[in-house]
Amino acid sequence: MSEAQVDQRRKDGTLRHLLTLEHLSRAEIERLLNKAQSFVRPLGAPPPTSNTLAGVTVANLFTEPSTRTRVSFELAAKRLGADVVNLEVQLSSRVKGESMLDTVYTLQSLHVDVMVIRDAEAGVPALVAGNVAPHVSVLSAGEAHVSHPTQGLLDALTVRQHKKRFEGLAIAIVGDIRHSRVARSSFHAFRTLGVADLRIVAPAVLMPEEPEFEGCSRHTSLAAGLKDVDVVMMLRIQKERMGQADLPDADRYFVQYGLTPERLSLARPDAIVMHPQPMNRGIEIASDVADGRQSVIRDQVRNGVAVRMAVLADVIGSRSSAT
Ligand code: NCD
């Protein structure tokens, strides 16, 4: 089942689920970014808290490993006053669609209102969204190689904080684009928000098939891809989504595609460097760059909690009138 078969919106047009950014309008994305920005605080300041989600229960249902996404969904829900349960389904007993639905029905009987789902199998978030009761919302926390909508939103928020506007920007997404759900969701956000010069940079084997990433220029040369860009987004090689034979040699990959300070100097002098993490230092990015002056990688993590608060508040806040 593809995500497109499940409508993310309620009949009144409000957002009920968040499975993909692909069909969201610019106004919808901007509304979520503005809401998220209102939850951002400087490091050291107390995080914002409220009781907006008092009485609401959020379940994190993750069948793939996660650090930042799971913790930030949990903190986001708690800071809005929700109850949270975390189910970490072991990879060894990976559930197939049907047994996943049994878990979901159980959670629903326990009065869970929001299911946050990460799964290695494409279509699982949509399957769940298509089968839950009308008051329940499903949020994707990463679906196979297909989508990772809250990551796309936090990437857009990070770019907006540093560059103010999207028009006129040149953004390069670099690395294992073929297997990356982050690349797909960030691409959807950037395209909808009006970025005109979007580039994907990868060795031929890690390039996605056409017509995906429509409108992006494609580069196998890192130097050409980075020339004068405002934003460089590096990606991890998704080893878990490829066979042993397809795995690039780490040393050779770093020589050709690793982001070093010299390579970064091809971008604009005020370019920012992003990475969704986990990072492989010395494979896709040099430590000097990851920890350097142009890196906004830690801002991305901070923005992750704010974006997840915004999405939770949005889907729950708009629910009562429509269900
Ligand atoms: C990413 C993911 O899981 O897709 N991590 C994250 O959520 N920040 C990226 C990755 O695993 O490479």
Side-chain angles (χ1 to χ4, degrees), residues 147-209:
S147 79
H148 193 348
T150 53
Q151 181 75 41
L153 290 172
L154 76 87
D155 288 342
L157 183 63
T158 308
V159 170
R160 193 173 83 167
Q161 286 165 352
H162 289 275
K163 298 289 166 196
K164 308 297 175 231
R165 54 204 302 275
F166 293 97
E167 283 86 0
L169 288 185
I171 300 184
I173 307 179
V174 182
D176 183 3
I177 317 270
R178 180 187 283 262
H179 302 102
S180 175
R181 54 195 177 203
V182 175
R184 287 178 175 78
S185 283
S186 296
F187 157 66
H188 288 138
F190 294 146
R191 189 191 51 185
T192 305
L193 290 164
V195 176
D197 184 356
L198 266 173
R199 310 178 191 180
I200 53 174
V201 187
V205 287
L206 300 180
M207 224 13 129
E209 306 278 337

Side-chain angles (χ1 to χ4, degrees), residues 65-66 68-69 118 141 148 151 181-182 236 238 240-241 275-278 308:
S66 173
R68 280 152 294 272
T69 306
R118 168 170 287 198
H148 193 348
Q151 181 75 41
R181 54 195 177 203
V182 175
R236 181 178 70 88
Q238 306 278 303
E240 67 278 26
R241 297 187 217 289
H275 192 306
Q277 305 199 69
R308 287 157 188 139

Side-chain angles (χ1 to χ4, degrees), residues 25-314:
S25 67
R26 181 167 186 166
E28 284 172 313
I29 292 182
E30 285 179 343
R31 184 187 74 229
L32 292 170
L33 296 185
N34 293 344
K35 182 94 183 145
Q37 185 62 46
S38 75
F39 292 127
V40 174
R41 296 289 182 279
L43 275 188
T49 54
S50 77
N51 59 4
T52 316
L53 297 194
V56 169
T57 304
V58 176
N60 284 321
L61 193 51
F62 281 56
T63 66
E64 273 196 316
S66 173
T67 307
R68 280 152 294 272
T69 306
R70 198 197 57 71
V71 171
S72 60
F73 262 113
E74 179 173 356
L75 287 176
K78 285 183 172 164
R79 287 179 185 162
L80 292 171
D83 291 325
V84 183
V85 285
N86 293 310
L87 283 89
E88 282 180 49
V89 186
Q90 291 305 307
L91 286 171
S92 54
S93 61
R94 233 194 77 61
V95 284
K96 283 282 174 193
E98 289 311 308
S99 53
M100 171 65 110
L101 281 185
D102 283 334
T103 309
V104 161
Y105 294 139
T106 301
L107 292 170
Q108 196 168 276
S109 302
L110 297 171
H111 287 269
V112 166
D113 303 274
V114 182
M115 309 215 185
V116 180
I117 296 182
R118 168 170 287 198
D119 204 281
E121 196 178 319
V124 168
L127 175 76
V128 175
N131 285 281
V132 285
H135 67 282
V136 175
S137 290
V138 176
L139 306 180
S140 168
E143 174 189 0
H145 64 285
V146 178
S147 79
H148 193 348
T150 53
Q151 181 75 41
L153 290 172
L154 76 87
D155 288 342
L157 183 63
T158 308
V159 170
R160 193 173 83 167
Q161 286 165 352
H162 289 275
K163 298 289 166 196
K164 308 297 175 231
R165 54 204 302 275
F166 293 97
E167 283 86 0
L169 288 185
I171 300 184
I173 307 179
V174 182
D176 183 3
I177 317 270
R178 180 187 283 262
H179 302 102
S180 175
R181 54 195 177 203
V182 175
R184 287 178 175 78
S185 283
S186 296
F187 157 66
H188 288 138
F190 294 146
R191 189 191 51 185
T192 305
L193 290 164
V195 176
D197 184 356
L198 266 173
R199 310 178 191 180
I200 53 174
V201 187
V205 287
L206 300 180
M207 224 13 129
E209 306 278 337
E210 309 232 28
E212 273 203 292
F213 293 88
E214 211 176 346
C216 291
S217 59
R218 293 171 174 243
H219 303 266
T220 50
S221 150
L222 182 59
L226 292 183
K227 185 95 186 83
D228 295 331
V229 293
D230 302 279
V231 178
V232 186
M233 181 188 287
M234 302 305 295
L235 298 172
R236 181 178 70 88
I237 296 187
Q238 306 278 303
K239 298 188 188 97
E240 67 278 26
R241 297 187 217 289
M242 55 182 104
Q244 203 59 34
D246 299 325
L247 268 182
D249 173 78
D251 293 340
R252 270 184 48 204
Y253 187 84
F254 186 67
V255 170
Q256 285 186 13
Y257 291 96
L259 188 64
T260 57
E262 299 72 46
R263 296 244 172 82
L264 180 56
S265 67
L266 297 168
R268 286 175 56 95
D270 61 350
I272 56 169
V273 175
M274 301 171 66
H275 192 306
Q277 305 199 69
M279 275 185 281
N280 294 306
R281 293 167 181 261
I283 298 183
E284 71 264 3
I285 191 165
S287 270
D288 293 2
V289 175
D291 303 324
R293 169 182 71 78
Q294 287 164 270
S295 169
V296 298
I297 295 170
R298 293 179 195 162
D299 292 7
Q300 289 174 270
V301 181
R302 180 199 58 188
N303 288 334
V305 183
V307 156
R308 287 157 188 139
M309 288 174 82
V311 172
L312 284 164
D314 196 82

